[in-house]
Amino acid sequence: MRVVLVGPPGAGKGTQAKRLADQFGLKHLSSGDILRAEKASGSDLGKTLAQYMDAGQLVPDDVVVGVMAKAVGQYAEQGLLLDGFPRTVPQAKSLDEQLDKQGTPLDVVAVIEVPDDKIVNRICGRRSCPECGAIYHVEFLKPAKPGECDKCGYKGEFEQRGDDTEQVVRQRLSTYHAQTAPVIEYYKQVSPGKIETFDGDQAPDAVTAEMVQRLQAKQA
Ligand code: AP5
């Protein structure tokens, strides 16, 4: 199965993607994680990426498509969960072209909806495990034992992303409405039967349960 996850910053794409990838045996590819790793490497490309990411703007399409096409080509056959890509209509068209050429088309476009007024709180309270990347929230999704990762057992401080400030989140949200919401309209036109919309404004476990149930139905 090949699934694209679309939703505003803080919709819960990363949270749900990790759970769904485990449940369905899919390769989770997060464009944000891949770009952040390049940024952290300090390479020339990473320095260029930082200018866009730290300002809450999208990285240019040609750069992202180049980075993602390689990974998509490698894992499309075994099953993919794409998180954060595609994020513009040109990216969506390029992904469709690549997958069609490979004979591995998309099966589901999963749209997670969350009202704008919930986003800032979700993003500013996000923390993640520096060892395994597990995602928490200071209020909504705490680890079972304070300061200890449920997933890998790491003990210590959790990390906060550099672009998770209120000012940058507001810019990311406006970028989402201007450049990513049209991706949903694109898929409504070219593949209406593949779109599944989820209410992301409920507890994380409730969102997961609904997604698992509907993806299983698609798979059957
Ligand atoms: P990226 O890393 O993709 O960030 P994003 O889309 O802004 O999404 P987030 O990772 O912030 O949120 P999420 O939906 O994954 O939410 P999460 O599960 O963590 O992109 C970062 C940057 O990279 C972009 O700004 C851009 O510059 C660049 N980039 C990336 N892809 C690109 C592309 N294709 N083209 C161009 N540029 C690109 O949850 C958030 C918080 O809420 C967590 O604390 C979580 O615990 C909590 N939470 C989750 N679910 C719930 C729930 N149901 N109820 C309450 N709290 C919840």
Side-chain angles (χ1 to χ4, degrees):
M1 189 161 53
R2 284 159 294 276
V3 181
V4 159
L5 280 183
V6 185
K13 301 182 296 296
T15 301
Q16 299 301 332
K18 289 181 200 310
R19 299 175 180 194
L20 297 172
D22 286 349
Q23 169 88 24
F24 291 93
L26 304 174
K27 177 70 181 176
H28 171 204
L29 289 179
S30 155
S31 51
D33 286 349
I34 293 172
L35 295 171
R36 271 186 292 281
E38 185 65 42
K39 189 180 145 198
S41 76
S43 66
D44 286 345
L45 174 60
K47 286 177 192 147
T48 305
L49 296 178
Q51 291 170 10
Y52 296 97
M53 297 172 76
D54 294 348
Q57 289 163 354
L58 295 185
V59 169
D61 286 338
D62 55 341
V63 177
V64 178
V65 168
V67 168
M68 294 303 289
K70 198 172 164 212
V72 167
Q74 194 177 347
Y75 296 106
E77 190 88 41
Q78 80 174 56
L80 264 185
L81 191 52
L82 290 170
D83 157 13
F85 176 84
R87 224 176 175 102
T88 63
V89 173
Q91 290 180 22
K93 288 182 176 169
S94 157
L95 175 67
D96 274 350
E97 271 171 32
Q98 180 183 1
L99 291 176
D100 285 347
K101 227 183 256 175
Q102 290 177 195
T104 52
L106 275 184
D107 297 291
V108 182
V109 177
V111 180
I112 306 181
E113 295 181 330
V114 175
D116 283 7
D117 61 2
K118 301 282 174 80
I119 298 295
V120 172
N121 196 11
R122 278 203 190 181
I123 291 279
C124 293
R126 171 169 48 196
R127 300 290 183 273
S128 59
C129 171
E131 284 295 319
C132 72
I135 303 169
Y136 298 97
H137 190 280
V138 293
E139 191 181 339
F140 308 129
L141 204 61
K142 298 178 185 176
K145 292 184 199 159
E148 187 172 330
C149 180
D150 296 341
K151 205 164 175 198
C152 72
Y154 161 86
K155 287 184 187 152
E157 288 289 308
F158 289 161
E159 286 179 334
Q160 187 169 20
R161 258 168 57 178
D163 60 345
D164 279 356
T165 62
E166 182 167 345
Q167 192 193 0
V168 179
V169 171
R170 292 199 186 280
Q171 177 57 48
R172 283 159 58 196
L173 199 48
S174 121
T175 303
Y176 173 80
H177 288 299
Q179 292 178 267
T180 306
V183 171
I184 302 169
E185 295 310 310
Y186 164 78
Y187 283 122
K188 276 186 188 160
Q189 281 178 9
V190 301
S191 321
K194 295 182 183 175
I195 297 191
E196 293 287 327
T197 303
F198 299 91
D199 176 10
D201 189 14
Q202 37 178 348
D205 288 351
V207 181
T208 309
E210 201 183 324
M211 295 189 88
V212 168
Q213 188 199 15
R214 281 160 63 188
L215 290 185
Q216 274 170 342
K218 280 269 176 192
Q219 214 177 18

